[in-house]
């Protein structure tokens, strides 16, 4: 089933309750409705089935890598990051998604996720980290966003705000642009960030990584303040997030350091030496 116009079912549903005005529906509407897209209050798309979510993620990925970022060309580095990500994704609540973990060239310290299993990390973030457990923590947090379907929950309403209801035949390119902008530039809610942290910590432990890695990243980010790091200005305070993660582990220091990935020397050889 095609999702070339993924929001059309929701807009048509609004039109059906809007009154006597006449409208011409795109014939693909019926296919989308038969596909089981249900409209949540506020145009919540968190109920997209996995195939639909993957299709949207693929569209976003194409635009992301053609217009926003350049993929890093170091295949060894890419394989290393993807291997860590795949190990984590296998322990998530959505292991059947076609997960992809991609390194993109940017000095910005950042990582982000869209939907359908697409996760990105910048070379700037890789250079900021000290060991594989920290890398696992960053990737696990992004997996947590996809596991929690945080982007689809925001997508419908954001489209209506930015593109309006000018036509029932919604432009798929415009929809994808809005989705990409939402993933890159518009913050998740405070609750979504804490939820992704909690999910990420759980995923790390399941995969055998030392939870201290994610907590360490939070402390390092807190040390930066808002010093030119765009996403820090839109996220909850990193110290507060570190405290919440520590509480999730009941303050157990032994549990924090239990697992692998805390070897700084190995990370320097496998990652930092390649940047």
């Amino acid at each position: 089933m095609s999702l070339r116009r993924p929001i059309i079912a929701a807009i048509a549903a609004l039109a059906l309750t809007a009154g006597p005005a006449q409208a011409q529906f795109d014939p693909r509407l019926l296919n989308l409705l038969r596909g089981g897209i249900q409209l949540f209050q506020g145009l919540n798309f968190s109920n997209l089935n996995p195939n639909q979510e993957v299709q949207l993620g693929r569209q976003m990925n194409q635009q992301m890598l053609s217009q926003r970022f350049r993929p890093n060309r170091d295949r060894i580095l890419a394989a290393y990051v993807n291997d860590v990500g795949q190990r984590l994704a296998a322990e998530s609540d959505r292991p059947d998604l076609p997960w992809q973990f991609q390194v993109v060239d940017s000095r910005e310290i950042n990582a982000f996720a869209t939907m359908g299993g697409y996760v990105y990390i910048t070379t700037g973030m890789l250079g900021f980290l000290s060991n594989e457990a920290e890398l696992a923590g960053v990737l696990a947090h992004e997996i947590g966003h996809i596991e929690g379907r945080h982007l689809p929950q925001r997508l419908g309403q954001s489209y209506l705000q930015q593109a309006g209801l000018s036509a029932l035949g919604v432009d798929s390119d415009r929809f994808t642009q809005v989705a990409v902008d939402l993933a890159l530039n518009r913050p998740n809610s405070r609750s979504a960030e804490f939820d992704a942290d909690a999910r990420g910590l759980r995923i790390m432990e399941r995969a055998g990584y030392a939870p201290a890695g994610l907590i360490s990243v939070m402390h390092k980010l807190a040390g930066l303040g808002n010093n030119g790091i765009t996403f820090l200005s839109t996220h909850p305070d990193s110290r507060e997030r570190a405290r919440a993660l520590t509480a999730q582990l009941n303050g157990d220091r032994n549990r924090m350091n239990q697992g692998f990935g805390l070897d700084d020397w190995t990370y320097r050889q496998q990652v930092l030496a390649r940047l």
Side-chain angles (χ1 to χ4, degrees), residues 2-271:
S2 172
L3 265 186
R4 182 168 175 78
R5 301 199 174 187
I7 199 173
I8 196 169
I11 295 178
L14 286 178
L16 288 171
T17 61
Q22 299 297 312
Q24 297 296 318
F25 295 131
D26 188 305
R28 280 168 286 197
L29 166 63
L30 293 178
N31 291 331
L32 288 172
L33 291 174
R34 292 190 187 105
I37 293 180
Q38 300 172 12
L39 183 64
F40 277 79
Q41 185 177 8
L43 294 181
N44 187 329
F45 282 78
S46 60
N47 63 319
L48 290 171
N49 69 46
N51 288 336
Q52 294 165 339
E53 191 176 341
V54 169
Q55 288 180 53
L56 282 172
R58 186 178 299 119
Q59 288 177 225
M60 294 176 69
N61 183 64
Q62 291 171 352
Q63 186 171 120
M64 196 89 72
L65 299 183
S66 64
Q67 300 181 20
R68 304 294 184 99
F69 291 100
R70 183 179 65 183
N72 183 268
R73 296 181 180 275
D74 188 326
R75 294 184 179 181
I76 295 176
L77 183 63
Y80 173 80
V81 170
N82 187 62
D83 285 347
V84 173
Q86 296 296 341
R87 187 181 304 134
L88 293 161
E91 301 300 331
S92 73
D93 290 347
R94 307 188 69 188
D96 296 331
L97 288 176
W99 292 92
Q100 294 190 37
F101 298 86
Q102 302 179 73
V103 179
V104 295
D105 286 330
S106 173
R107 294 182 180 179
E108 183 180 1
I109 298 172
N110 203 0
F112 48 92
T114 56
M115 63 178 78
Y118 288 88
V119 176
Y120 308 82
I121 187 167
T122 64
T123 50
M125 176 63 88
L126 290 176
F128 176 72
L129 304 176
S130 299
N131 55 52
E132 189 172 308
E134 291 186 353
L135 170 61
V138 170
L139 296 180
H141 170 87
E142 299 306 331
I143 291 170
H145 279 306
I146 293 177
E147 185 183 88
R149 295 178 171 86
H150 295 153
L151 180 59
Q153 288 171 10
R154 301 186 293 146
L155 188 50
Q157 191 60 44
S158 181
Y159 184 89
L160 295 184
Q161 291 171 351
Q162 294 189 51
L165 280 170
S166 59
L168 286 175
V170 177
D171 181 82
S172 61
D173 290 337
R174 175 61 177 148
F175 182 83
T176 304
Q177 289 172 3
V178 170
V180 168
D181 180 64
L182 193 65
L184 290 177
N185 302 320
R186 297 178 183 271
N188 284 290
S189 68
R190 176 184 173 87
S191 63
E193 291 298 340
F194 279 102
D195 182 54
D197 285 345
R199 291 174 184 272
L201 195 68
R202 185 200 71 233
I203 291 167
M204 286 185 73
E205 285 201 287
R206 285 180 179 177
Y209 281 104
L214 182 53
I215 297 173
S216 173
V217 171
M218 294 304 164
H219 285 301
K220 292 171 72 171
L221 290 173
L224 293 175
N226 289 340
N227 185 24
I229 311 300
T230 303
F231 80 89
L232 288 179
S233 65
T234 62
H235 282 57
D237 180 75
S238 297
R239 292 180 182 85
E240 187 179 354
R241 295 169 69 186
R243 287 193 292 270
L245 290 166
T246 301
Q248 187 175 335
L249 297 170
N250 298 316
D252 187 338
R253 294 282 180 181
N254 290 329
R255 184 178 170 190
M256 288 180 198
N257 293 299
Q258 185 175 353
F260 57 87
L262 294 175
D263 182 356
D264 292 3
W265 185 87
T266 299
Y267 186 82
R268 284 197 299 270
Q269 298 300 309
Q270 295 182 313
V271 177

